[in-house]
Amino acid sequence: FFYSMMMNRLGLRRGLVVFFRNSMTRSVSGVYDIRFRVSVPSFRNYKTSSVVHHGGPHIDKSSSKLINIHWIKDGTNGEIQKITTSAYVGETLLQVAHHHEIELEGACEGVCACSTCHTILPDDLFSSLDPPSEEEEDMLDMAFGLEETSRLGCQVTLTEEMDGREFRLPAATRNFYVDGHVPKPH
C-alpha cells in the first residue's frame, strides 16, 4: 500500500519500470525519518541546461596569460573615461570588473540571471564570438540601453585575441532586486 501511495504521489503509472527504494530510520525522539530514492528510466526526455559557475569560472593564474583590456564609460559631464585593467585569459568580463572595482554590477553574481553586467562590444569582436544563448538573450531584453553588439559580461570569456580591446559600459543598469545593490566578489 505504501509503495503504491508514493507512486501515485510522484505521478508514476503502474507498469512503468521504476527503481524504488526506501529506508526508514528512527531518530532519538522516536519519529521515523523516511527517505526515498526514485530513478526514472532514461527513455524520458528532459531538458537540461548548461553548467553555471557561481561567480564565473575559476582560473589558474599561474598558468594563464595576462592581458590588458580597456573600459569605456561616459562621465557625468559628458566626458569619456577610459580605464585600463589587467585580466587573465579565461576570466569573464564580470570577474575582471569586480577584481578592479569597475562599475559593472552583476547582481546575480555571474549566473546569467539578470542584465546588470550588460556590456557593449565593438562590432568586429561581437561578430567573432559565439552567438548568445537563449538565456542570455532573454536577460539582454531587460537591459538598459540595449544595442546590437550588447552582451552580458558574465558570458564573455576573455581570450588572447582580446588583448587591448575596448568594452563600453552603458550609462545605467536595471536592477529589479534592489536599486543600488552592488555585490562584492568573494
Side-chain angles (χ1 to χ4, degrees), residues 42-53:
S42 61
F43 63 82
R44 297 183 97 173
N45 294 326
Y46 291 102
K47 183 179 180 199
T48 61
S49 58
S50 59
V51 175
V52 177
H53 300 283

Side-chain angles (χ1 to χ4, degrees), residues 3-4 14 31 39-40 42 44-45 55 57 72 79 85 87 90 101 107 109 120 122 125 133 145 150 154 157 168 182:
Y3 173 80
S4 62
R14 284 191 189 273
V31 177
S39 298
V40 180
S42 61
R44 297 183 97 173
N45 294 326
I72 307 298
E79 60 196 39
T85 60
E101 297 183 4
E109 298 184 14
I120 303 160
L125 180 58
S133 66
S150 292
C154 65
T157 303
R168 193 160 49 94
V182 180

Side-chain angles (χ1 to χ4, degrees), residues 150-184:
S150 292
R151 292 292 301 263
L152 295 181
C154 65
Q155 300 300 302
V156 177
T157 303
L158 295 173
T159 63
E160 289 185 37
E161 293 77 27
M162 293 181 189
D163 190 17
R165 300 306 302 256
E166 295 181 348
F167 299 93
R168 193 160 49 94
L169 301 175
T173 62
R174 288 189 184 128
N175 185 344
F176 294 108
Y177 179 63
V178 175
D179 283 335
H181 170 73
V182 180
K184 299 293 180 193

Side-chain angles (χ1 to χ4, degrees), residues 112 132-141 151-152 155:
C112 197
S133 66
E134 186 176 332
E135 291 86 5
E136 183 179 358
E137 287 180 348
D138 289 344
M139 293 298 113
L140 282 169
D141 287 341
R151 292 292 301 263
L152 295 181
Q155 300 300 302

